[in-house]
Structures are given as C-alpha cells and as structure tokens.
Amino acid sequence: MDASDPRKQDDAGFGLVEIIVSILMLALLATAFAPVLIGSIRTMAKMSTIATATQDANRALEEQRAMLRTTTTCALTAPSSYSLTDSRGLGLTRTVSYDTSSCASSKLVTVRVLVKASANSANYHSGQTVVDVSTLVYAADAA
C-alpha cells in the first residue's frame, strides 16, 4: 500500500453521518423534556395567580380587622365586590362577607374573603374559586 491509497488517508473532523445522528439525539431529548417544561410553565402561572389572590385576600382581611376594631354595632354591611388583575392578566373578583350570628353574645364576627376568577384562562374557568379564606375578628366596641 502506498500513501495515495484512500484507505490510509487521515479522517480529521466529523462526518455528515455523525452530525445527523447527534442532531437526532438532541431532538429526541428535547421532545422528551418538552412536556415537563410546558407543565412547569402552567404550574408557575397557576401559582402566580394563587399568590396574587392570597395577597389580596390577606389585605382584605386586615382592612376588615382594622374596621371592625372600631365598629359600634353588630349590624354590618359587607363592602362591595372588588376587581383586580394578576400579573398574567387574569381578572379576579374579591367578595367579602360577614357572619354576625355570634356577634351579640361573644362579639366575634366571621369575616370571609372569596377570590374568584372573573374570566376563563388556561388554569381557571370563569367563576372558579381561587382563594377562600375566613377568620374570626373580635369586634371590641360592638353592642
């Protein structure tokens, strides 16, 4: 065999077949991880909405607690509904309600805050509850 023999030539670099095989392997890995990535994006969106709704519900509870500390009657009228939007643009509606059935005897008022989706999205249907919280508030000056 002499130096001009094709079998003796040095194959430096990658051939077309190796490159195509590596691209196919990367494509298979990408398709395997795509559902995980999409699921985590949906979960992040849902958690963002829940965080926004929870912060607003806590703010509403604190506002009601501050208001009830100075109330002089058990005949309370709940504030009107309040609309807000989360960081992804989903409309939410907050509703506050009172249960004053034990106010006259124990001066305790149950304050309930309900936050619902006001429009359809990928994670929520219109009217679906996002956050539902309640607490007992001592109405010190209520008679």
Side-chain angles (χ1 to χ4, degrees), residues 4-27:
S4 63
D5 188 4
R7 293 180 288 171
K8 283 285 209 173
Q9 291 179 351
D10 188 15
D11 288 333
F14 296 105
L16 184 60
V17 173
E18 287 93 354
I19 292 174
I20 291 174
V21 168
S22 64
I23 289 172
L24 286 175
M25 289 173 61
L26 285 173

PDB file of all heavy atoms in Angstrom, residues 4-27:
ATOM      1  N   SER A   4      -0.864   7.093  -1.461  1.00  0.00           N
ATOM      2  CA  SER A   4      -2.027   7.573  -2.205  1.00  0.00           C
ATOM      3  C   SER A   4      -3.232   6.659  -2.049  1.00  0.00           C
ATOM      4  O   SER A   4      -4.293   6.927  -2.581  1.00  0.00           O
ATOM      5  CB  SER A   4      -1.667   7.733  -3.687  1.00  0.00           C
ATOM      6  OG  SER A   4      -1.339   6.463  -4.210  1.00  0.00           O
ATOM      7  N   ASP A   5      -3.088   5.603  -1.310  1.00  0.00           N
ATOM      8  CA  ASP A   5      -4.190   4.666  -1.078  1.00  0.00           C
ATOM      9  C   ASP A   5      -5.265   5.363  -0.237  1.00  0.00           C
ATOM     10  O   ASP A   5      -4.978   5.897   0.836  1.00  0.00           O
ATOM     11  CB  ASP A   5      -3.667   3.428  -0.363  1.00  0.00           C
ATOM     12  CG  ASP A   5      -4.726   2.338  -0.273  1.00  0.00           C
ATOM     13  OD1 ASP A   5      -5.832   2.528  -0.836  1.00  0.00           O
ATOM     14  OD2 ASP A   5      -4.469   1.314   0.373  1.00  0.00           O
ATOM     15  N   PRO A   6      -6.565   5.393  -0.661  1.00  0.00           N
ATOM     16  CA  PRO A   6      -7.631   6.081   0.062  1.00  0.00           C
ATOM     17  C   PRO A   6      -7.868   5.517   1.456  1.00  0.00           C
ATOM     18  O   PRO A   6      -8.370   6.180   2.343  1.00  0.00           O
ATOM     19  CB  PRO A   6      -8.865   5.913  -0.806  1.00  0.00           C
ATOM     20  CG  PRO A   6      -8.460   5.217  -2.025  1.00  0.00           C
ATOM     21  CD  PRO A   6      -7.020   4.829  -1.910  1.00  0.00           C
ATOM     22  N   ARG A   7      -7.541   4.277   1.676  1.00  0.00           N
ATOM     23  CA  ARG A   7      -7.759   3.685   2.987  1.00  0.00           C
ATOM     24  C   ARG A   7      -6.772   4.216   4.023  1.00  0.00           C
ATOM     25  O   ARG A   7      -7.003   4.096   5.198  1.00  0.00           O
ATOM     26  CB  ARG A   7      -7.628   2.173   2.913  1.00  0.00           C
ATOM     27  CG  ARG A   7      -8.745   1.552   2.091  1.00  0.00           C
ATOM     28  CD  ARG A   7      -8.593   0.067   2.022  1.00  0.00           C
ATOM     29  NE  ARG A   7      -7.452  -0.217   1.132  1.00  0.00           N
ATOM     30  CZ  ARG A   7      -6.903  -1.404   0.958  1.00  0.00           C
ATOM     31  NH1 ARG A   7      -7.369  -2.430   1.606  1.00  0.00           N
ATOM     32  NH2 ARG A   7      -5.905  -1.579   0.138  1.00  0.00           N
ATOM     33  N   LYS A   8      -5.697   4.825   3.605  1.00  0.00           N
ATOM     34  CA  LYS A   8      -4.676   5.308   4.508  1.00  0.00           C
ATOM     35  C   LYS A   8      -4.854   6.790   4.855  1.00  0.00           C
ATOM     36  O   LYS A   8      -4.154   7.294   5.703  1.00  0.00           O
ATOM     37  CB  LYS A   8      -3.282   5.156   3.878  1.00  0.00           C
ATOM     38  CG  LYS A   8      -2.758   3.785   3.913  1.00  0.00           C
ATOM     39  CD  LYS A   8      -2.321   3.522   5.305  1.00  0.00           C
ATOM     40  CE  LYS A   8      -1.185   2.530   5.304  1.00  0.00           C
ATOM     41  NZ  LYS A   8      -0.643   2.366   6.595  1.00  0.00           N
ATOM     42  N   GLN A   9      -5.778   7.492   4.220  1.00  0.00           N
ATOM     43  CA  GLN A   9      -5.931   8.918   4.479  1.00  0.00           C
ATOM     44  C   GLN A   9      -6.494   9.150   5.884  1.00  0.00           C
ATOM     45  O   GLN A   9      -7.341   8.392   6.357  1.00  0.00           O
ATOM     46  CB  GLN A   9      -6.850   9.569   3.440  1.00  0.00           C
ATOM     47  CG  GLN A   9      -6.216   9.621   2.083  1.00  0.00           C
ATOM     48  CD  GLN A   9      -7.140  10.247   1.059  1.00  0.00           C
ATOM     49  OE1 GLN A   9      -8.301  10.480   1.342  1.00  0.00           O
ATOM     50  NE2 GLN A   9      -6.614  10.506  -0.122  1.00  0.00           N
ATOM     51  N   ASP A  10      -6.014  10.198   6.512  1.00  0.00           N
ATOM     52  CA  ASP A  10      -6.454  10.544   7.870  1.00  0.00           C
ATOM     53  C   ASP A  10      -7.816  11.229   7.816  1.00  0.00           C
ATOM     54  O   ASP A  10      -7.992  12.200   7.099  1.00  0.00           O
ATOM     55  CB  ASP A  10      -5.418  11.468   8.502  1.00  0.00           C
ATOM     56  CG  ASP A  10      -5.705  11.699   9.973  1.00  0.00           C
ATOM     57  OD1 ASP A  10      -6.512  10.947  10.549  1.00  0.00           O
ATOM     58  OD2 ASP A  10      -5.114  12.633  10.542  1.00  0.00           O
ATOM     59  N   ASP A  11      -8.788  10.706   8.560  1.00  0.00           N
ATOM     60  CA  ASP A  11     -10.126  11.307   8.620  1.00  0.00           C
ATOM     61  C   ASP A  11     -10.177  12.278   9.800  1.00  0.00           C
ATOM     62  O   ASP A  11     -10.474  11.900  10.921  1.00  0.00           O
ATOM     63  CB  ASP A  11     -11.205  10.232   8.794  1.00  0.00           C
ATOM     64  CG  ASP A  11     -11.415   9.416   7.556  1.00  0.00           C
ATOM     65  OD1 ASP A  11     -11.145   9.945   6.469  1.00  0.00           O
ATOM     66  OD2 ASP A  11     -11.858   8.262   7.676  1.00  0.00           O
ATOM     67  N   ALA A  12      -9.884  13.501   9.536  1.00  0.00           N
ATOM     68  CA  ALA A  12      -9.944  14.522  10.582  1.00  0.00           C
ATOM     69  C   ALA A  12     -11.333  15.140  10.596  1.00  0.00           C
ATOM     70  O   ALA A  12     -11.925  15.394   9.564  1.00  0.00           O
ATOM     71  CB  ALA A  12      -8.899  15.603  10.327  1.00  0.00           C
ATOM     72  N   GLY A  13     -11.891  15.430  11.819  1.00  0.00           N
ATOM     73  CA  GLY A  13     -13.194  16.069  11.937  1.00  0.00           C
ATOM     74  C   GLY A  13     -14.324  15.057  11.960  1.00  0.00           C
ATOM     75  O   GLY A  13     -14.129  13.854  12.007  1.00  0.00           O
ATOM     76  N   PHE A  14     -15.561  15.626  11.938  1.00  0.00           N
ATOM     77  CA  PHE A  14     -16.760  14.795  11.978  1.00  0.00           C
ATOM     78  C   PHE A  14     -17.335  14.653  10.590  1.00  0.00           C
ATOM     79  O   PHE A  14     -17.325  15.584   9.791  1.00  0.00           O
ATOM     80  CB  PHE A  14     -17.819  15.441  12.883  1.00  0.00           C
ATOM     81  CG  PHE A  14     -17.400  15.531  14.319  1.00  0.00           C
ATOM     82  CD1 PHE A  14     -17.015  16.746  14.860  1.00  0.00           C
ATOM     83  CD2 PHE A  14     -17.400  14.410  15.120  1.00  0.00           C
ATOM     84  CE1 PHE A  14     -16.644  16.840  16.178  1.00  0.00           C
ATOM     85  CE2 PHE A  14     -17.029  14.487  16.443  1.00  0.00           C
ATOM     86  CZ  PHE A  14     -16.639  15.712  16.981  1.00  0.00           C
ATOM     87  N   GLY A  15     -17.914  13.507  10.355  1.00  0.00           N
ATOM     88  CA  GLY A  15     -18.569  13.279   9.076  1.00  0.00           C
ATOM     89  C   GLY A  15     -20.028  13.685   9.143  1.00  0.00           C
ATOM     90  O   GLY A  15     -20.588  13.983  10.214  1.00  0.00           O
ATOM     91  N   LEU A  16     -20.659  13.709   8.025  1.00  0.00           N
ATOM     92  CA  LEU A  16     -22.061  14.112   7.932  1.00  0.00           C
ATOM     93  C   LEU A  16     -22.960  13.171   8.726  1.00  0.00           C
ATOM     94  O   LEU A  16     -23.897  13.606   9.390  1.00  0.00           O
ATOM     95  CB  LEU A  16     -22.475  14.155   6.453  1.00  0.00           C
ATOM     96  CG  LEU A  16     -23.884  14.640   6.165  1.00  0.00           C
ATOM     97  CD1 LEU A  16     -24.061  16.054   6.687  1.00  0.00           C
ATOM     98  CD2 LEU A  16     -24.160  14.583   4.678  1.00  0.00           C
ATOM     99  N   VAL A  17     -22.664  11.909   8.720  1.00  0.00           N
ATOM    100  CA  VAL A  17     -23.481  10.928   9.431  1.00  0.00           C
ATOM    101  C   VAL A  17     -23.424  11.176  10.943  1.00  0.00           C
ATOM    102  O   VAL A  17     -24.453  11.144  11.629  1.00  0.00           O
ATOM    103  CB  VAL A  17     -23.029   9.496   9.082  1.00  0.00           C
ATOM    104  CG1 VAL A  17     -23.745   8.471   9.944  1.00  0.00           C
ATOM    105  CG2 VAL A  17     -23.246   9.203   7.625  1.00  0.00           C
ATOM    106  N   GLU A  18     -22.233  11.443  11.473  1.00  0.00           N
ATOM    107  CA  GLU A  18     -22.109  11.702  12.909  1.00  0.00           C
ATOM    108  C   GLU A  18     -22.896  12.941  13.316  1.00  0.00           C
ATOM    109  O   GLU A  18     -23.543  12.988  14.370  1.00  0.00           O
ATOM    110  CB  GLU A  18     -20.643  11.885  13.312  1.00  0.00           C
ATOM    111  CG  GLU A  18     -19.844  10.602  13.306  1.00  0.00           C
ATOM    112  CD  GLU A  18     -19.131  10.365  11.973  1.00  0.00           C
ATOM    113  OE1 GLU A  18     -19.358  11.136  11.023  1.00  0.00           O
ATOM    114  OE2 GLU A  18     -18.381   9.391  11.904  1.00  0.00           O
ATOM    115  N   ILE A  19     -22.842  13.980  12.493  1.00  0.00           N
ATOM    116  CA  ILE A  19     -23.554  15.216  12.797  1.00  0.00           C
ATOM    117  C   ILE A  19     -25.066  14.988  12.779  1.00  0.00           C
ATOM    118  O   ILE A  19     -25.794  15.432  13.677  1.00  0.00           O
ATOM    119  CB  ILE A  19     -23.150  16.336  11.825  1.00  0.00           C
ATOM    120  CG1 ILE A  19     -21.693  16.724  12.082  1.00  0.00           C
ATOM    121  CG2 ILE A  19     -24.058  17.547  11.978  1.00  0.00           C
ATOM    122  CD1 ILE A  19     -21.139  17.714  11.104  1.00  0.00           C
ATOM    123  N   ILE A  20     -25.574  14.271  11.792  1.00  0.00           N
ATOM    124  CA  ILE A  20     -27.010  13.991  11.703  1.00  0.00           C
ATOM    125  C   ILE A  20     -27.470  13.142  12.883  1.00  0.00           C
ATOM    126  O   ILE A  20     -28.525  13.403  13.479  1.00  0.00           O
ATOM    127  CB  ILE A  20     -27.353  13.323  10.355  1.00  0.00           C
ATOM    128  CG1 ILE A  20     -27.169  14.346   9.230  1.00  0.00           C
ATOM    129  CG2 ILE A  20     -28.770  12.774  10.360  1.00  0.00           C
ATOM    130  CD1 ILE A  20     -27.344  13.764   7.840  1.00  0.00           C
ATOM    131  N   VAL A  21     -26.676  12.157  13.265  1.00  0.00           N
ATOM    132  CA  VAL A  21     -27.035  11.314  14.410  1.00  0.00           C
ATOM    133  C   VAL A  21     -27.074  12.140  15.692  1.00  0.00           C
ATOM    134  O   VAL A  21     -27.993  11.996  16.512  1.00  0.00           O
ATOM    135  CB  VAL A  21     -26.055  10.125  14.529  1.00  0.00           C
ATOM    136  CG1 VAL A  21     -26.219   9.413  15.868  1.00  0.00           C
ATOM    137  CG2 VAL A  21     -26.265   9.149  13.385  1.00  0.00           C
ATOM    138  N   SER A  22     -26.111  13.018  15.893  1.00  0.00           N
ATOM    139  CA  SER A  22     -26.111  13.833  17.108  1.00  0.00           C
ATOM    140  C   SER A  22     -27.294  14.807  17.133  1.00  0.00           C
ATOM    141  O   SER A  22     -27.884  15.052  18.183  1.00  0.00           O
ATOM    142  CB  SER A  22     -24.789  14.587  17.250  1.00  0.00           C
ATOM    143  OG  SER A  22     -24.630  15.506  16.190  1.00  0.00           O
ATOM    144  N   ILE A  23     -27.669  15.367  15.985  1.00  0.00           N
ATOM    145  CA  ILE A  23     -28.839  16.249  15.916  1.00  0.00           C
ATOM    146  C   ILE A  23     -30.113  15.474  16.244  1.00  0.00           C
ATOM    147  O   ILE A  23     -30.990  15.954  16.973  1.00  0.00           O
ATOM    148  CB  ILE A  23     -28.934  16.934  14.540  1.00  0.00           C
ATOM    149  CG1 ILE A  23     -27.815  17.973  14.405  1.00  0.00           C
ATOM    150  CG2 ILE A  23     -30.292  17.590  14.339  1.00  0.00           C
ATOM    151  CD1 ILE A  23     -27.705  18.578  13.021  1.00  0.00           C
ATOM    152  N   LEU A  24     -30.228  14.270  15.736  1.00  0.00           N
ATOM    153  CA  LEU A  24     -31.406  13.434  16.037  1.00  0.00           C
ATOM    154  C   LEU A  24     -31.476  13.097  17.528  1.00  0.00           C
ATOM    155  O   LEU A  24     -32.558  13.093  18.120  1.00  0.00           O
ATOM    156  CB  LEU A  24     -31.382  12.165  15.195  1.00  0.00           C
ATOM    157  CG  LEU A  24     -31.722  12.338  13.715  1.00  0.00           C
ATOM    158  CD1 LEU A  24     -31.530  11.022  12.964  1.00  0.00           C
ATOM    159  CD2 LEU A  24     -33.144  12.827  13.555  1.00  0.00           C
ATOM    160  N   MET A  25     -30.336  12.819  18.121  1.00  0.00           N
ATOM    161  CA  MET A  25     -30.322  12.516  19.559  1.00  0.00           C
ATOM    162  C   MET A  25     -30.740  13.746  20.372  1.00  0.00           C
ATOM    163  O   MET A  25     -31.508  13.625  21.342  1.00  0.00           O
ATOM    164  CB  MET A  25     -28.945  12.015  19.989  1.00  0.00           C
ATOM    165  CG  MET A  25     -28.635  10.623  19.457  1.00  0.00           C
ATOM    166  SD  MET A  25     -26.962  10.084  19.773  1.00  0.00           S
ATOM    167  CE  MET A  25     -26.896  10.111  21.529  1.00  0.00           C
ATOM    168  N   LEU A  26     -30.258  14.926  19.994  1.00  0.00           N
ATOM    169  CA  LEU A  26     -30.672  16.150  20.672  1.00  0.00           C
ATOM    170  C   LEU A  26     -32.168  16.421  20.481  1.00  0.00           C
ATOM    171  O   LEU A  26     -32.846  16.879  21.412  1.00  0.00           O
ATOM    172  CB  LEU A  26     -29.858  17.338  20.177  1.00  0.00           C
ATOM    173  CG  LEU A  26     -28.419  17.409  20.685  1.00  0.00           C
ATOM    174  CD1 LEU A  26     -27.669  18.526  19.986  1.00  0.00           C
ATOM    175  CD2 LEU A  26     -28.393  17.595  22.184  1.00  0.00           C
ATOM    176  N   ALA A  27     -32.688  16.142  19.309  1.00  0.00           N
ATOM    177  CA  ALA A  27     -34.119  16.332  19.060  1.00  0.00           C
ATOM    178  C   ALA A  27     -34.954  15.394  19.923  1.00  0.00           C
ATOM    179  O   ALA A  27     -36.000  15.790  20.451  1.00  0.00           O
ATOM    180  CB  ALA A  27     -34.422  16.119  17.581  1.00  0.00           C
TER     181      ALA A  27
END
